[in-house]
Amino acid sequence: MKILAIETSCDETAAAIIEDGRRVLSTIVKSQIEIHRETGGVVPEVAAREHMKKIIPVIDCALREAQLTHNDIDAIAVTQCPGLVSALLVGTTTATVLSRVYNKPLIPVNHIAGHLYSAYLENTHELTFPRLILTVSGGHNDIILMRDHFDFTILGQTIDDAAGEAFDKAARLMGLGYPGGPAIQRCAQSGRAGKEQLPRPMIHDDTLNMSFSGLKTAVYYRLNNLLDEYNNHLPEEIIADLALEFQTAVVDVLTAKMKQALMRHPDIQEIHLVGGVSANTALRASLQHLAESKKIALHYPQHIRYCTDNAAMIGAAAYFQYQKWPDRYSVETHCDVSPNMTLTEYTG
Ligand code: KG4
Ligand code: ZN
């Protein structure tokens, strides 16, 4: 089954063609990062206008790269929630029109469900249930138990900032640029372990919830002290020490929470790590160590391009959603935008 998938929930205009939930025939992502860098964040109206300009060329490009035409497509999938209303509307309207014009079933998809299915893309391993999934990106930070396809239980989430958001804010404070995750990871490579000390918020708390906003504040105060100490001229190696300590603190908290979750659910068969922050090599190494100690497998997206926002993951989720509820989707499907709908409210 070949699905044309469309994603416009935030600042990436993306289209992909996915076969049977795993094979990526093409994936195109047009980022708006340069435009939003000027305003220091995403302005929803600006994002929507950019999606309007790019969506048709991006879909054309995905079809061309896959060497297919709309006749070869079996269904159309689109991100319905959560996200920016005006941005989502561009994708859902385009997908609805294409579905009606080409007479293909329309499959609305939850963006987080998309991330949860990103580990299937180009993965040749058999993936099993129950699985524990850590979703960490700029906007999401959840520990999710999946007992079957589209059977989600949120075990824990951040009570304030998501880990990716904390990476971005801490990087900005350290003058390392945007996006902060890759910048901190790069800078941390030359950092000396143990030179700096930051807190591990909520690490001993007996829930599976997390908090990263205090960590960013701790970076702010530490930087102010260091700036005083070095007369406002911070040597690069000091920033590297702080970047490494920040990354280690985030990884320590995420790993400790996943360890606790595994202890509470000893029947877990495997761990998945998804979302933009799953690109982080220190986090991958730490969860690999945890998985090995429990003799279970760790899976993360096969390429960095499937960690950050993309349409391929929407096509993967749509395939499994369609397998589960084939009668729900048709050319008549109404795709209402629900900007704040959570994963557990979402029932395909
Ligand atoms: O999934 P994503 O593209 O967008 C959201 O849905 O939020 O994730 C983007 C986030 C950004 O906060 C970025 O700093 C973070 O993922 N990120 C990383 C790395 N690469 C991207 N964080 C840590 N280490 C990385 N290597
Ligand atoms: Zn995302």
Side-chain angles (χ1 to χ4, degrees):
M1 180 182 195
K2 294 189 188 74
I3 296 181
L4 164 63
I6 297 170
E7 151 70 39
T8 63
S9 65
C10 188
D11 59 346
E12 256 100 29
T13 315
I17 297 165
I18 305 303
E19 188 170 21
D20 297 339
R22 291 179 187 250
R23 262 192 82 207
V24 181
L25 303 184
S26 64
T27 176
I28 309 291
V29 179
K30 196 89 199 140
S31 171
Q32 303 175 1
I33 240 174
E34 291 308 323
I35 294 161
H36 300 301
R37 190 171 273 148
E38 287 167 24
T39 44
V42 181
V43 178
E45 292 306 314
V46 177
R49 279 165 203 258
E50 279 307 302
H51 287 313
M52 285 289 290
K53 276 194 238 163
K54 301 283 160 53
I55 189 71
I56 298 296
V58 164
I59 292 171
D60 277 348
C61 191
L63 283 166
R64 224 174 316 118
E65 205 163 279
Q67 300 186 323
L68 299 173
T69 72
H70 58 82
N71 288 325
D72 306 306
I73 301 298
D74 301 299
I76 295 174
V78 63
T79 307
Q80 172 190 30
C81 61
L84 307 170
V85 185
S86 53
L88 287 165
L89 273 169
V90 177
T92 55
T93 308
T94 309
T96 305
V97 170
L98 293 178
S99 147
R100 303 274 151 108
V101 171
Y102 296 133
N103 195 26
K104 313 281 178 188
L106 180 63
I107 312 172
V109 175
N110 178 298
H111 178 86
I112 318 283
H115 278 299
L116 297 181
Y117 277 88
S118 59
Y120 279 89
L121 296 166
E122 293 181 33
N123 195 338
T124 50
H125 291 95
E126 226 15 85
L127 303 179
T128 54
F129 298 104
R131 70 179 68 134
L132 192 63
I133 311 186
L134 177 62
T135 335
V136 262
S137 70
H140 336 290
N141 197 120
D142 305 305
I143 294 177
I144 293 165
L145 170 66
M146 248 179 111
R147 293 209 168 273
D148 196 356
H149 285 297
F150 289 87
D151 175 349
F152 310 117
T153 309
I154 297 178
L155 301 180
Q157 46 197 167
T158 179
I159 58 167
D160 41 54
D161 292 353
E165 195 178 350
F167 266 103
D168 293 336
K169 288 177 175 170
R172 189 188 293 188
L173 290 171
M174 290 186 234
L176 295 175
Y178 181 84
I184 288 189
Q185 176 172 313
R186 222 173 298 120
C187 181
Q189 277 168 2
S190 55
R192 296 163 297 179
K195 282 281 177 190
E196 288 293 326
Q197 270 188 341
L198 291 170
R200 268 71 175 149
M202 287 180 77
I203 199 163
H204 298 303
D205 168 274
D206 59 6
T207 73
L208 295 174
N209 289 334
M210 291 148 273
S211 160
F212 294 105
S213 119
L215 186 55
K216 166 207 67 195
T217 313
V219 168
Y220 172 79
Y221 285 117
R222 181 62 189 141
L223 270 172
N224 278 350
N225 288 341
L226 286 167
L227 283 168
D228 279 349
E229 205 176 304
Y230 287 91
N231 269 332
N232 289 331
H233 293 291
L234 270 188
E236 266 176 34
E237 71 254 33
I238 302 294
I239 298 186
D241 293 343
L242 193 60
L244 176 60
E245 173 61 6
F246 174 83
Q247 177 174 269
T248 310
V250 174
V251 169
D252 284 353
V253 171
L254 293 173
T255 308
K257 293 292 170 176
M258 288 295 278
K259 191 172 177 184
Q260 271 189 51
L262 286 176
M263 269 152 51
R264 289 177 196 198
H265 298 276
D267 59 334
I268 295 290
Q269 297 294 308
E270 54 191 39
I271 301 176
H272 293 198
L273 169 62
V274 298
V277 184
S278 71
N280 189 275
T281 46
L283 179 59
R284 287 180 174 189
S286 179
L287 288 186
Q288 185 68 49
H289 187 71
L290 174 64
E292 277 166 18
S293 75
K294 301 281 177 192
K295 298 193 169 50
I296 56 176
L298 169 72
H299 292 281
Y300 42 78
Q302 301 285 304
H303 292 284
I304 303 280
R305 62 179 175 274
Y306 305 140
C307 296
T308 48
D309 285 352
N310 64 86
M313 67 185 194
I314 302 302
Y319 171 76
F320 291 101
Q321 199 170 310
Y322 190 80
Q323 297 302 305
K324 184 154 182 167
W325 298 297
D327 300 335
R328 275 196 197 170
Y329 308 105
S330 71
V331 65
E332 306 286 324
T333 305
H334 178 56
C335 185
D336 207 2
V337 161
S338 332
N340 301 317
M341 187 185 277
T342 63
L343 192 61
T344 39
E345 285 163 342
Y346 182 73
T347 52

